[in-house]
Amino acid sequence: MTSRLSLALAGDAVALPERRILVLRPPADAWLSDLPGTPVAVQGFKPDHDALAARGFEVVPEAGGTADAAVVFLSRAKALSLASIAEACAAVPEGATVVVDGQKTDGVDSVLRQCRKMFEVGEVFSKAHGKTFSFPAKAAPADWSPPPARVAGFVTRAGVFSADGIDRGSALLADHVGGLSGRVCDLGAGWGYLSAQVLASADVRECTLVEAEHAALACARENVTDPRARFVWADATSWTGGPFDAVVSNPPFHTARRADPALGRAFIVAAARLLAPRGRLLMVANRHLPYEETLKEYFATIQVLDDRDGFKVIAANTTKRQRGRA
Ligand SMILES: C[S@@+](CC[C@H](N)C(=O)[O-])C[C@H]1O[C@@H](n2cnc3c(N)ncnc32)[C@H](O)[C@@H]1O
C-alpha cells in the first residue's frame, strides 16, 4: 500500500505540489517520507498517532486548518472514508489535488465508484490489491460528512465503534456493573456508554475513560458530563494509571485493518496491571474469542456471569501479587 502511493507519484498517475499536504488517517507505517512538500498527518488513533510522531512527522488528532493538497488513506469503515474525503475537499482550495489510496479490503472499488459520480477522477493506479487515484477538489456531498448522530440519547460520530447504537455486548455487561464502587476504569471506553452506566452508582468515586480514538473520546466528553469522570486519550495497552478497584471493558478484537484477538488479550494484561490488589475486572467478549488462557494466567479467579446472544460476561479477580504488574 505504501509503495503503491510512491509508485503512483513516481509515474504519471497522480501528482502533488511541493507544498503543505494534508494526509488523512495514514497508518503508522504509511509511506510519507518522500511525499513532495510538507506532510501534516491527521491521525486520531493514538498508537498510530504516536508512531507517526516518533518518525518525525507533524501529526494532529483531528483535521483543521487549510492545505494546498490532500492525501486520504481509506479505512475499513466506509462512512469514515467518505468523511475523510469530504474533510480533504473542505481543507484545500477548489481544484487542488486530492489523492485517495486504499486496499480492496478497505472497499476502494466502491469508494472509487462513488468518487467517479462526484469528481473528475483521473488515471487509476492499481497495485498490491489496492488502488490510488486523484481528482481536483470540489465540495463533497453533504451526506459524506454527516453531523454527529444521536442514538438512545448519546452523541456518536461516523467511524466510531457502534456509531448506530448501543453495542449488544456492552448492554449485557451493563447489567453487571451496578455493584461497583471506588475508582473504576473503562478500558476502550468508546463514546462512553459503559462509563455512563458505571457512574449510575453513587458508590463509584471516579470513573476514568481510557480510549485511543480521539473522535470517540470527544463524543464521550459530551455524553458523560458527571464530574466524577476523567478522560484519557491513550493506548490502553501501554497506559499507566491507577490503581483501580475495578476495570470494565468491552475490548476491541480487531485493529482498523484486521481481526486480532491479541489486542483483546493485551487489554486483559493491561487490566491486571492497572488493578489494585483484590481488584476486579468485568469484561464482555464474543463467545468464540479465546481469552480464557490469558485470564487464567493473570487473574486468580474467573467466573462467567452471563452467556447470552453470542456474548459472555466474565468477572476476574486479582490476587495481591499480580503478574501484569511485573
Ligand atoms: C468494542 S469497543 C467498546 C466501546 C465502548 N466501551 C462501548 O461499550 O461502546 C472497543 C473500543 O476500544 C477502542 N480501542 C481500540 N484499540 C485501543 C487501544 N489500543 N487503546 C484504547 N482504546 C482502544 C476502540 O476505539 C473502541 O472504542
Side-chain angles (χ1 to χ4, degrees), residues 181-185 205 239 241-248 268-281 298-300 316-325:
S181 59
R183 297 184 73 199
V184 181
C185 177
R205 200 165 72 240
W239 181 66
F244 294 99
D245 300 300
V247 169
V248 297
I268 292 169
V269 177
R273 188 182 65 238
L274 294 168
L275 280 165
R278 302 193 187 286
R280 184 172 170 83
L281 165 66
Y298 285 90
F299 288 86
N317 294 292
T318 60
T319 54
K320 282 195 173 171
R321 295 180 68 222
Q322 291 141 281
R323 298 198 50 188
R325 224 174 248 293

Side-chain angles (χ1 to χ4, degrees), residues 88-101:
C89 288
V92 302
E94 188 161 342
T97 302
V98 174
V99 175
V100 177
D101 182 275

